[in-house]
Amino acid sequence: MLKLPKAIQSANRSLIRLGSLSALAIVSTGALAQGNSESLEEVVVTGIRASLEQNIDMKRNANSVVDAITAEDIGKFPDKNVAEALQRVPGVSIDRDFGEGENVSIRGTDSSLNMTLLNGQTVATSQWKVLSALSRGFNYAMLPSDLIASAEVYKTPQADIDEGSVGGTVILRTRKPLDLDSGTASVSLESQYSELPDVWDPSGSAFASWKNEAGTFGVLGSVVFQDRSVERHGAEVLSNYVPTTAKDTGEEVYVPWGLGSALFQQQRERRGVDLNLQYAPNEQFDATLHYLASELGASNMNQNFLPLSRNAVRDGGSNTQTNGNVVTSSDIDGALAGGHVAYDVIYRDGSSMDTDVLDLEANYDLGFARLHGQIGRTTSEGNANDWFYEWFNQANDDRVNWTYTNNGRPSASFDNSDWITNPTDELVLNGYFESQITMTDEEAYAQIDAEFDVEVGPINLIQVGYKTRDRDTGQDRVRTYASNLGANGNDAYFGTAADFWSGAVVSGLHGETGFGPSAYFDPDRNKLNAYFDALPDCAAGSTEICSNRDTTWYPSIFDINEKVDALYVKADFADDTTGLRGNLGVRYVTTDTTSGAWSFSSAQGEYAYDEVKAKYSDVLPSLNLAWDASNDVVLRFAAAKVIARPSPSQLTSSVSLTPESSSGSGGNPELEPYRATQYDLGAEWYFAEGAMAAVTLFTKQIDDYVFDEIRSEQVISPDGVLQIDSMRRPQNGPSVDLNGVETQLQYSFDNGFGLVGNYTYTDVSDAETQSGPVTLPGNSENMFNVSGFYENELFSARLAYNYRSEFFRAKTAVGSLYRDEQTSLDAQFSYYVNDKLSLRAEALNLTNETVNDIFSLDGGPTLQASEWENGRRFFLGANYKF
């Protein structure tokens, strides 16, 4: 029987003898347990065609429903990180909110309901974005593709793979030095042009592997650096559509709470290192020490000019026109209205996130059994920093007039408003704070597995194991803010726009989004720093404007501990007579959580720390059955029970309030996990070498579905008991059904051309709750990918198109928010100068697609919401193999 380590070694050596640094697709444990005692032959394979054949071989031989991408594929797809490569897999979709793939969704489930494992283990993750909640979904922006040898997407579970996914599990593999020839090395250099910021940025990677002459000890190392200038232009709808009363008509109407003409700029600095030490003194024993570290510097700045349409129509609207009860236009008279125009500028120096993994793995072959042990830890820290400044218009100022329109797209027109780019005192600075948020994620794990060769009917392998995990996630926050503004005879603002301006202007926005204004004044940060740094510290009895520096911000602080213990048993079977093979197993898992957070106690007059404990257990059976009906046809059936635990941000008992809009959000530490029963039925036809046609039907009944319930709630705060009309909290709800079909086609012609395509359809039912019907976020009904390629001995070219239909994002008090359909067209060209040197050119988002949100009003029309432009990206690079 072929064993996993030997399969990996043979696969890698086959490619390395060709001078390629790409690894073959790793054959799954289930695929190996077929009673096949033949050794892998060393076959000469190169190029796109060979890589696709390797992916097909893995899918064909696996017992579970699995799709794979090898490092050769990741290098040759027009994709710059692993997520962007994975979107070519049937049933997999991603988001590119900042022009780069970050989160992966599988089979219509949100990214937080899927797992990513590195060499079979969790990778800790965090965020750099202030408004991002801690999630279980892995942020692929942290993981350059250069560090990964292969990626496997398990659509159906196995008992020996960690539980925690409803959609699917992505297993990433790194290389091992004893699988490669000693002295294997390569260097890649690349330059990236980003269209919106109009700059070139460098990136590069280096790889080297060595082993001693005896082949018993080896060292492998990779380093990666990638710089990227990010710019995003946004036409934003803030807080979506809300009801209000029009001043001039007295009618109840719907209008966005606020609009935003946004400019986001960021300098991303990604650094990564991967180190493997492997020791195998004999054929019975081997051990690998693996260290991976990746960090992303994400300092950024966000500017947003904000016409507050709700306040404006309510307080100063005239000639208000509606279509139904939706405002289509209104003239805003600044002389009648109070605060109806704002301008936010946020500097986020030092924002970052990092992750690291330290893992020790050992295997020992006893002859009659094989033992496997793995122990390690993974940590991540995200830092989201804010220096926030907000200007508002002076009340009853007829210089600040504008017009709100919504003819299919909400917009604001500021005719004859030269003050926007040449301000005096129309806007005053009366909002300020500094904030530092630290998000942490840490998991320690240990597992032991044993597999035994048996001959019990068709069963040829029994595998048992135990794993324990201890995970801590949390968030800390400190704030600096001013006191006594507008009190004790002080001014009601820090200064006017002119006081904090030196003449700079932001311009050139909304070339694609059709929004306004497209230019506005750019504050002078040095003047802002000088003013607020000079404020005195607040002290007891202070009456002047002063600063409360580095104050612990209790409402945002929480800690969650999660202890998981799992036992499993799995049997692999194969019957040469009938052609049936597969695995049957069960996993028993217990989960203990402790959620701690701060809440304000009116009795004590201060914040008090509370903990809530919860515990649950699950029995998770799984069956994967494959039938080799003929030499070129494989039929499949799979059934399993799965779970996905709530996100850390859903489990916290802390709350966040926005009293101005009477809204807020909080967690629920007593949530149960998502639980699902799922079935797969598939057929695969391998009608030619390197060719395949496949179809898979799948269904999932998801119980204990977690949805956000919006309700009125009284919340105790330092300002007293607040009535929050729209308080959002997660709750376990009723069942939803998710059904779908995946289709795949792959074919390589004899003339060098080839085609790879897939289409996925998913349908999810609504669940009825007290808050109305709700559905799964992240589910696109239609997804398809098509890639065409050509290659010969001199060059290769590939064009890849991806489509994803609209999907539900969130429920609000008066409607539902959706992400509109998304498309992308990417391309790559490679020229092989010789066996060692290759040149390449790539392009992402060739058609300059924008990212759009749409809003469906309950009982009303569907309206345009936000739209963001990320621009095109182009790459030129070279790779040299030693």
Side-chain angles (χ1 to χ4, degrees):
M1 182 182 64
L2 193 61
K3 303 298 184 293
L4 179 60
K6 294 180 180 178
I8 297 172
Q9 292 170 4
S10 180
N12 280 293
R13 286 168 180 162
S14 296
L15 283 181
I16 295 305
R17 283 183 169 82
L18 299 170
S20 170
L21 294 178
S22 300
L24 285 170
I26 306 301
V27 182
S28 69
T29 303
L32 296 173
Q34 302 175 33
N36 183 358
S37 60
E38 297 177 3
S39 298
L40 288 177
E41 296 180 359
E42 294 181 356
V43 181
V44 176
V45 287
T46 58
I48 297 175
R49 183 190 303 259
S51 177
L52 294 175
E53 289 178 1
Q54 295 158 20
N55 298 343
I56 282 182
D57 287 343
M58 175 179 177
K59 183 175 184 68
R60 182 174 188 170
N61 294 325
N63 287 337
S64 305
V65 179
V66 181
D67 287 286
I69 297 177
T70 67
E72 184 79 5
D73 257 339
I74 294 173
K76 290 188 177 294
F77 266 129
D79 305 313
K80 305 314 299 178
N81 67 17
V82 180
E84 291 170 348
L86 287 171
Q87 72 173 326
R88 316 299 176 190
V89 170
V92 176
S93 58
I94 67 171
D95 64 56
R96 281 182 175 176
D97 280 354
F98 292 89
E100 180 179 2
E102 294 188 355
N103 301 303
V104 168
S105 299
I106 303 175
R107 287 186 168 180
T109 59
D110 188 71
S111 61
S112 63
L113 302 183
N114 302 287
M115 291 184 63
T116 295
L117 305 177
L118 182 65
N119 298 322
Q121 306 297 337
T122 302
V123 183
T125 189
S126 56
Q127 296 289 343
W128 57 264
K129 291 176 283 188
V130 171
L131 298 179
S132 293
L134 278 172
S135 167
R136 295 184 188 272
F138 180 70
N139 190 328
Y140 280 85
M142 287 300 302
L143 199 61
S145 58
D146 305 63
L147 301 181
I148 301 302
S150 70
E152 307 156 13
V153 183
Y154 278 77
K155 311 288 185 60
T156 61
Q158 296 181 170
D160 59 330
I161 296 177
D162 284 359
E163 78 296 329
S165 173
V166 167
T169 299
V170 179
I171 300 181
L172 307 175
R173 309 281 186 183
T174 55
R175 303 172 179 90
K176 292 188 176 182
L178 297 187
D179 297 334
L180 312 178
D181 288 340
S182 185
T184 299
S186 75
V187 174
S188 293
L189 295 175
E190 189 173 70
S191 186
Q192 171 186 178
Y193 174 75
S194 300
E195 185 177 42
L196 288 185
D198 189 25
V199 295
W200 286 89
D201 292 306
S203 63
S205 64
F207 171 93
S209 182
W210 169 90
K211 62 183 176 183
N212 60 10
E213 292 185 5
T216 59
F217 178 73
V219 180
L220 179 154
S222 301
V223 293
V224 175
F225 80 92
Q226 296 175 351
D227 291 346
R228 180 187 168 204
S229 298
V230 180
E231 186 165 315
R232 186 173 83 153
H233 299 174
E236 296 186 323
V237 171
L238 285 83
S239 298
N240 300 303
Y241 288 76
V242 294
T244 192
T245 301
K247 181 179 181 63
D248 54 344
T249 67
E251 294 180 313
E252 185 81 2
V253 295
Y254 288 94
V255 67
W257 183 85
L259 306 180
S261 173
L263 170 65
F264 174 88
Q265 296 173 300
Q266 183 180 52
Q267 291 299 317
R268 292 193 175 188
E269 299 177 345
R270 184 186 288 114
R271 304 291 184 263
V273 60
D274 185 67
L275 179 65
N276 276 275
L277 305 178
Q278 189 177 10
Y279 177 59
N282 50 53
E283 294 185 357
Q284 287 73 43
F285 177 79
D286 77 85
T288 303
L289 181 65
H290 176 223
Y291 175 72
L292 179 143
S294 180
E295 61 181 26
L296 179 69
S299 295
N300 62 90
M301 179 177 70
N302 193 77
Q303 295 168 261
N304 210 348
F305 192 90
L306 302 161
L308 304 180
S309 42
R310 192 275 301 268
N311 292 359
V313 171
R314 181 193 64 194
D315 300 333
S318 63
N319 193 28
T320 301
Q321 306 294 313
T322 62
N323 181 3
N325 56 356
V326 176
V327 176
T328 57
S329 67
S330 185
D331 297 325
I332 311 304
D333 186 347
L336 299 177
H340 60 90
V341 174
Y343 177 33
D344 292 354
V345 179
I346 311 170
Y347 304 98
R348 299 186 176 114
D349 300 342
S351 293
S352 64
M353 59 181 180
D354 61 59
T355 188
D356 65 69
V357 175
L358 181 62
D359 178 87
L360 177 62
E361 181 179 12
N363 297 280
Y364 190 74
D365 193 336
L366 297 172
F368 67 92
R370 286 156 301 282
L371 302 180
H372 167 263
Q374 203 163 354
I375 187 171
R377 65 105 179 98
T378 176
T379 64
S380 180
E381 181 176 300
N383 293 287
N385 301 326
D386 264 5
W387 282 261
F388 176 90
Y389 306 95
E390 186 171 54
W391 282 261
F392 271 96
N393 68 292
Q394 298 246 40
N396 309 118
D397 188 344
D398 59 6
R399 295 173 298 176
V400 189
N401 301 324
W402 55 285
T403 301
Y404 169 79
T405 59
N406 190 354
N407 298 314
R409 173 183 290 173
S411 185
S413 175
F414 287 82
D415 294 335
N416 303 316
S417 296
D418 294 340
W419 61 267
I420 294 178
T421 55
N422 187 22
T424 55
D425 63 348
E426 295 86 355
L427 297 186
V428 294
L429 179 63
N430 59 4
Y432 152 78
F433 68 80
E434 300 174 15
S435 168
Q436 288 79 46
I437 298 175
T438 301
M439 294 165 276
T440 57
D441 183 16
E442 180 175 355
E443 178 173 299
Y445 56 84
Q447 75 176 75
I448 185 168
D449 311 271
E451 61 178 31
F452 304 88
D453 296 325
V454 298
E455 294 183 8
V456 181
I459 298 176
N460 52 42
L461 186 76
I462 296 291
Q463 188 173 354
V464 297
Y466 166 76
K467 183 171 185 177
T468 183
R469 288 170 278 171
D470 192 337
R471 185 171 189 173
D472 288 294
T473 56
Q475 179 173 287
D476 288 316
R477 186 178 188 181
V478 295
R479 278 179 51 136
T480 295
Y481 60 97
S483 290
N484 298 327
L485 188 67
N488 305 307
N490 294 320
D491 291 335
Y493 52 85
F494 302 109
T496 69
D499 294 332
F500 299 101
W501 185 53
S502 61
V505 174
V506 171
S507 62
L509 306 181
H510 311 306
E512 292 290 326
T513 57
F515 195 78
S518 60
Y520 38 79
F521 71 91
D522 190 6
D524 187 324
R525 192 177 182 187
N526 290 329
K527 292 184 178 180
L528 291 168
N529 289 341
Y531 177 88
F532 288 101
D533 289 347
L535 288 179
D537 291 337
C538 291
S542 294
T543 59
E544 61 181 330
I545 298 176
C546 57
S547 181
N548 302 277
R549 291 184 166 87
D550 298 329
T551 302
T552 301
W553 200 252
Y554 291 101
S556 297
I557 298 174
F558 64 86
D559 298 284
I560 297 172
N561 176 260
E562 183 177 85
K563 292 182 172 63
V564 178
D565 291 283
L567 291 164
Y568 77 88
V569 59
K570 181 170 74 78
D572 289 8
F573 55 86
D575 189 327
D576 294 336
T577 303
T578 62
L580 287 172
R581 54 185 170 86
N583 58 65
L584 173 66
V586 63
R587 190 175 184 92
Y588 175 73
V589 57
T590 62
T591 306
D592 291 85
T593 63
T594 301
S595 177
W598 297 83
S599 60
F600 191 79
S601 171
S602 56
Q604 300 178 31
E606 59 185 15
Y607 281 93
Y609 187 77
D610 299 314
E611 289 188 344
V612 179
K613 296 182 180 293
K615 182 175 183 177
Y616 51 87
S617 61
D618 292 274
V619 178
L620 306 173
S622 60
L623 168 67
N624 290 283
L625 182 63
W627 179 33
D628 297 316
S630 67
N631 290 333
D632 53 12
V633 174
V634 179
L635 303 180
R636 298 186 184 274
F637 173 77
K641 287 185 177 294
V642 296
I643 65 170
R645 298 177 179 89
S647 297
S649 59
Q650 294 176 316
L651 291 171
T652 177
S653 57
S654 63
V655 297
S656 175
L657 302 178
T658 307
E660 297 84 357
S661 58
S662 190
S663 61
S665 61
N668 181 356
E670 297 181 351
L671 284 175
E672 292 282 319
Y674 295 77
R675 294 184 171 95
T677 302
Q678 63 179 49
Y679 300 93
D680 282 67
L681 181 64
E684 301 158 9
W685 179 31
Y686 300 90
F687 56 90
E689 181 154 359
M692 173 194 66
V695 58
T696 302
L697 304 173
F698 57 89
T699 182
K700 301 174 187 286
Q701 179 181 309
I702 304 174
D703 299 317
D704 295 324
Y705 163 60
V706 178
F707 72 99
D708 281 343
E709 184 179 54
I710 302 173
R711 62 190 180 190
S712 177
E713 185 176 323
Q714 289 186 337
V715 181
I716 300 174
S717 78
D719 297 323
V721 178
L722 300 181
Q723 179 66 39
I724 303 299
D725 295 332
S726 297
M727 188 67 182
R728 181 187 301 270
R729 288 188 185 272
Q731 304 290 338
N732 284 112
S735 299
V736 294
D737 294 324
L738 189 152
N739 304 298
V741 57
E742 293 174 351
T743 61
Q744 297 174 256
L745 177 64
Q746 179 173 315
Y747 188 74
S748 298
F749 299 92
D750 294 334
N751 58 5
F753 286 94
L755 179 71
V756 180
N758 59 72
Y759 167 75
T760 303
Y761 170 82
T762 56
D763 177 65
V764 62
S765 65
D766 288 343
E768 292 297 330
T769 70
Q770 292 181 351
S771 300
V774 295
T775 190
L776 280 174
N779 177 66
S780 292
E781 190 172 78
N782 297 289
M783 296 183 293
F784 70 83
N785 303 276
V786 60
S787 300
F789 68 88
Y790 176 80
E791 68 174 345
N792 58 29
E793 294 181 353
L794 291 178
F795 69 89
S796 67
R798 177 176 252 148
L799 191 65
Y801 178 79
N802 174 270
Y803 171 83
R804 178 184 185 184
S805 63
E806 70 176 46
F807 60 90
F808 172 77
R809 294 192 65 197
K811 180 72 175 174
T812 74
V814 298
S816 299
L817 183 67
Y818 294 85
R819 174 62 49 85
D820 203 0
E821 63 182 13
Q822 298 176 264
T823 63
S824 64
L825 181 64
D826 308 324
Q828 183 197 59
F829 178 85
S830 295
Y831 177 71
Y832 310 111
V833 178
N834 51 46
D835 290 342
K836 295 184 176 181
L837 178 64
S838 62
L839 307 177
R840 64 181 179 273
E842 301 179 46
L844 293 182
N845 192 22
L846 276 169
T847 54
N848 195 26
E849 300 292 334
T850 59
V851 179
N852 300 271
D853 280 349
I854 52 179
F855 186 80
S856 179
L857 192 66
D858 288 341
T862 297
L863 305 164
Q864 171 72 40
S866 302
E867 184 175 10
W868 296 272
E869 179 188 6
N870 292 299
R872 303 174 181 89
R873 291 193 288 153
F874 302 91
F875 304 82
L876 294 174
N879 176 268
Y880 188 83
K881 301 172 182 178
F882 296 91

